[in-house]
Amino acid sequence: MHPTIESLFDAAERRYLEQNELDVLTEYVESLPDRVDAYRCLRDREVAIMQSVADQLEIQFSTESQETLERCLRNALLMMRHAAMSMLQNDSELLDQQLTVWLTETNAVYNTRAIDTALYSLLNQQLEATLTPTQLKLIHPYISAAEQAMNAQSEPITVTA
C-alpha cells in the first residue's frame, strides 16, 4: 500500500484525519476501481501483449541469440508485473525496491541496452493499443520509471503521475 495511505491508517489510531489527509485517502479510494481494472486488463492480456512485442523484437534483432531475446522478454514481463502491482497499490517505492538494482545490474551484465530500448518502445506501443486512456494513464508512470531505471546506472527511480 502507498506509504502515505498507510501512514493515514496509522494516524487514525491516535486521532481523526484532517481534511487534507481525507482528500488523499478519498483520491486513493476513488481511483482504486480504475487501478483494479487496469491490473486485470494487463493480467488478462499479458500473453497477447508480450507475444506481439516478441514477434516484432525477433524481426528487429534477427542476428541476436534466442537466449538473449528471451532473457530481455522475461525481464520485461517481470518488470510489467512489478509495475502493475505498484500501480495497483499506488506505491512507487514498491517498484523502486523490487526493480531498480535488479534491472540495472541485469542490463549491465548482459549489455542489452539496445534490445531493451527497442523492447520498451514496442511494449509502450502495445500498451497504447490495448489499454483504455485511463488505464494507460495509470500504468504509464510505472513503465516509464522502469525504463528510466533500465537507462540509469543504479540511480533511484522516480514515478511521476
Side-chain angles (χ1 to χ4, degrees):
M1 182 180 306
H2 190 280
T4 303
I5 303 300
E6 195 171 335
S7 70
L8 292 178
F9 290 126
D10 291 341
E13 293 176 5
R14 297 182 305 277
R15 61 180 171 80
Y16 284 101
L17 299 177
E18 296 176 14
Q19 185 59 46
N20 63 333
E21 294 169 321
L22 281 172
D23 292 344
V24 169
L25 183 60
T26 299
E27 182 181 325
Y28 177 78
V29 170
E30 287 177 350
S31 71
L32 196 54
D34 290 333
R35 291 176 189 286
V36 170
D37 286 345
Y39 184 88
R40 280 189 183 128
C41 184
L42 288 167
R43 180 198 65 194
D44 295 345
R45 297 181 183 168
E46 175 186 77
V47 172
I49 291 168
M50 294 308 291
Q51 186 60 56
S52 179
V53 170
D55 294 344
Q56 295 175 56
L57 203 63
E58 285 182 328
I59 293 168
Q60 287 185 17
F61 292 92
S62 57
T63 59
E64 287 291 336
S65 72
Q66 192 69 23
E67 179 184 343
T68 300
L69 293 176
E70 286 176 4
R71 182 182 311 105
C72 291
L73 287 163
R74 209 170 27 255
N75 289 344
L77 181 64
L78 292 171
M79 175 281 306
M80 194 165 78
R81 289 176 181 171
H82 284 290
M85 183 55 71
S86 295
M87 179 266 314
L88 181 62
Q89 295 182 31
N90 195 24
D91 186 355
S92 61
E93 288 180 18
L94 177 66
L95 185 67
D96 189 28
Q97 292 166 357
Q98 296 182 352
L99 196 66
T100 304
V101 174
W102 163 72
L103 195 56
T104 55
E105 287 178 0
T106 299
N107 187 283
V109 167
Y110 294 106
N111 194 21
T112 57
R113 182 166 284 173
I115 297 170
D116 290 332
T117 299
L119 193 153
Y120 276 83
S121 176
L122 294 168
L123 179 59
N124 281 318
Q125 290 172 17
Q126 283 303 308
L127 292 175
E128 287 175 14
T130 304
L131 301 176
T132 67
T134 300
Q135 293 168 337
L136 190 61
K137 183 179 177 185
L138 289 169
I139 192 65
H140 187 262
Y142 298 92
I143 300 291
S144 294
E147 190 172 7
Q148 174 190 339
M150 182 217 32
N151 288 318
Q153 295 299 320
S154 300
E155 295 175 16
I157 60 176
T158 55
V159 175
T160 53

